[in-house]
Amino acid sequence: MMPLGDILPEIAVILTAVAILLFATFAPQRTQWIGAPIALAGIAVAIVLCALQIGEARLTFSGSWALDAASTWGRLLILGATAFTVLLAPNWFEHDRRHGEYYAMLLFSSLGAMAMAGAADLLQMVIAALLSSATGYVLAAYHRDWALSVEAGMKFFLIGALANTSLVLGVIMMLGMLGDTGFTAMAAALSGGGQSPILILGTVLVVVGLTYKLGAVPAHAWMPDVAEGAPAPSAAFLTVVPKIGAAIVLARLVSLFPASGIGIRPLIAAIALITMTLGNLAALWQNDMRRMIGWSSVSQSGFALMAVTVTGLSASAIPALLVFLFGYTAGNLAVFGAIVHLRGRTDRNDFAGLASSSPIAATVIIIGLLSLVGIPPLVGFVGKFELFLATIDGGYIWLAAVAVANTVVSLFYYLRFVATMVFDESNKKPETLGPWSGVAMIAGPTAIIALGLFANGLLSPIVQSSLLP
């Protein structure tokens, strides 16, 4: 019998998405917003069901699904980020005739990310990545009458087509060389040594395919365009949620390789270095807040890859990755929450004097940006500090040094916007969107501060996190 209880959170998400889709099909436009509370209710049920799995550590569904600390905490984070995005949507899409369908698409996309986080089989990983991608294309281009949104969706689609092709080809090569797609059998085959050129090529292609979901080099170019051109709630979602699932499944894949075998870890380390450096350099002179956050998200992917690099080399790699993802998610979503509440304002000049004209929104943005840098006592500091320690413990001291230098560089482009908000004169009091986005805007910095101040409470349940198989 199939142990359906092991995937009850995912079943709750699917049923909620289908219910919303049926509701949106027959409901008049004025009631389409009801899809938001339906989505939040379904997510709440899924969070409870997922929380009940904390402490579980086993492979299920014939070894293709991993119930461990990484997948459980990752899925909880994905669900929380999705709920935050739902709060951003009602006022933003109020006049869109396809308003209700948006929530169903969000849930299906989050399901793909959740499936990646729990994947313990190459084929499941592919299916999850494709589900996340196909729904992501729709979310990015949801404003189909706005050229910038369509451009973002097309770039997301074209890069995704190439990256997903790379992923599938790599899986085929790895299957051919290892004889199985299950991670347990793959780990056993890899432990025997052997470095077939086809296996090495297949591994590289799989890594390249997953960099697309991470927003990392070489499949990163969609990130700033989606951050700028997609509907702001979609941009908030797509710059965060797929990254969580992809980081966890890539770490799980890397853990299969012995330290002395195929040099997958040096490859990941090189990608991490290039990604964080390129993202920072490209963000330096951006005058569009959303595009700057897009390039910042590329850079943050490089930091996440630090923990992936030392997976299997340091016992603290997975806890560091999870804590970093919590910090990154809270910081990124807080900034986007304020942007949505300010009706999508994004040009740096439009933020002039925001600290005096709208102090709450300015405070939210400043807290979010400082957390992304890693300023104590915010949760972003805890995440980066744990990353540096894990990377050094894993023997990649040079990568930690480069990451510290990149952290210092990132201060420049974040503070450019902070200085404009604080020191420039205000033009006029900004208009705001509505109560839904207002609630989300306050929730973001609250999470950042609470998680930072009570970091021990966050660390203690995941400090012993490890990966199956």
Side-chain angles (χ1 to χ4, degrees), residues 323 377 379 382 449-461:
V323 175
V379 66
V382 181
I449 296 171
L451 291 173
L453 293 177
F454 301 101
N456 287 336
L458 174 64
L459 285 170
S460 57

Side-chain angles (χ1 to χ4, degrees), residues 183-263:
F183 284 3
T184 302
M186 288 173 58
L190 288 167
S191 64
Q195 299 188 17
S196 162
I198 296 179
L199 176 60
I200 295 173
L201 177 59
T203 302
V204 171
L205 290 175
V206 168
V207 170
V208 169
L210 289 175
T211 60
Y212 166 66
K213 305 308 301 178
L214 275 164
V217 173
H220 66 285
W222 62 269
M223 183 74 83
D225 289 87
V226 168
E228 179 187 17
S234 296
F237 181 89
L238 293 172
T239 55
V240 169
V241 171
K243 196 188 300 283
I244 300 168
I248 293 173
V249 74
L250 181 57
R252 201 182 301 279
L253 182 64
V254 169
S255 71
L256 306 180
F257 290 81
S260 59
I262 296 174

Side-chain angles (χ1 to χ4, degrees), residues 13-231:
V13 171
I14 292 173
L15 293 178
T16 305
V18 172
I20 292 172
L21 199 57
L22 293 173
F23 168 79
T25 301
F26 300 103
Q29 183 175 339
R30 68 179 182 276
T31 61
Q32 292 282 309
W33 65 272
I34 296 176
I38 296 175
L40 290 173
I43 291 172
V45 172
I47 287 175
V48 171
L49 293 171
C50 201
L52 293 175
Q53 295 177 341
I54 293 176
E56 299 282 352
R58 65 178 182 277
L59 294 176
T60 183
F61 282 91
S62 301
S64 65
W65 182 256
L67 273 182
D68 57 13
S71 70
T72 301
W73 287 104
R75 288 182 293 147
L76 284 170
L77 185 55
I78 288 167
L79 290 168
T82 305
F84 185 94
T85 307
V86 170
L87 289 174
L88 299 179
N91 297 126
W92 187 275
F93 292 101
E94 184 176 359
H95 303 294
D96 194 310
R97 288 181 297 174
R98 299 165 298 131
H99 181 181
E101 301 166 20
Y102 183 81
Y103 304 105
M105 202 58 59
L106 269 182
L107 291 176
F108 283 128
S109 191
S110 68
L111 179 65
M114 293 171 70
M116 277 194 288
D121 184 281
L122 289 177
L123 295 182
Q124 183 187 316
M125 178 186 71
V126 169
I127 293 170
L130 293 178
L131 175 59
S132 176
S133 298
T135 50
Y137 306 149
V138 178
L139 293 173
Y142 214 77
H143 287 332
R144 57 187 179 186
D145 296 327
W146 187 32
L148 204 58
S149 180
V150 174
E151 179 185 351
M154 284 301 298
K155 184 168 288 189
F156 194 30
F157 169 74
L158 293 174
I159 296 175
L162 293 173
N164 288 327
T165 300
S166 170
L167 181 65
V168 173
L169 288 175
V171 167
I172 292 171
M173 292 180 184
M174 293 186 75
L175 170 61
M177 293 297 100
L178 299 176
D180 204 306
T181 58
F183 284 3
T184 302
M186 288 173 58
L190 288 167
S191 64
Q195 299 188 17
S196 162
I198 296 179
L199 176 60
I200 295 173
L201 177 59
T203 302
V204 171
L205 290 175
V206 168
V207 170
V208 169
L210 289 175
T211 60
Y212 166 66
K213 305 308 301 178
L214 275 164
V217 173
H220 66 285
W222 62 269
M223 183 74 83
D225 289 87
V226 168
E228 179 187 17

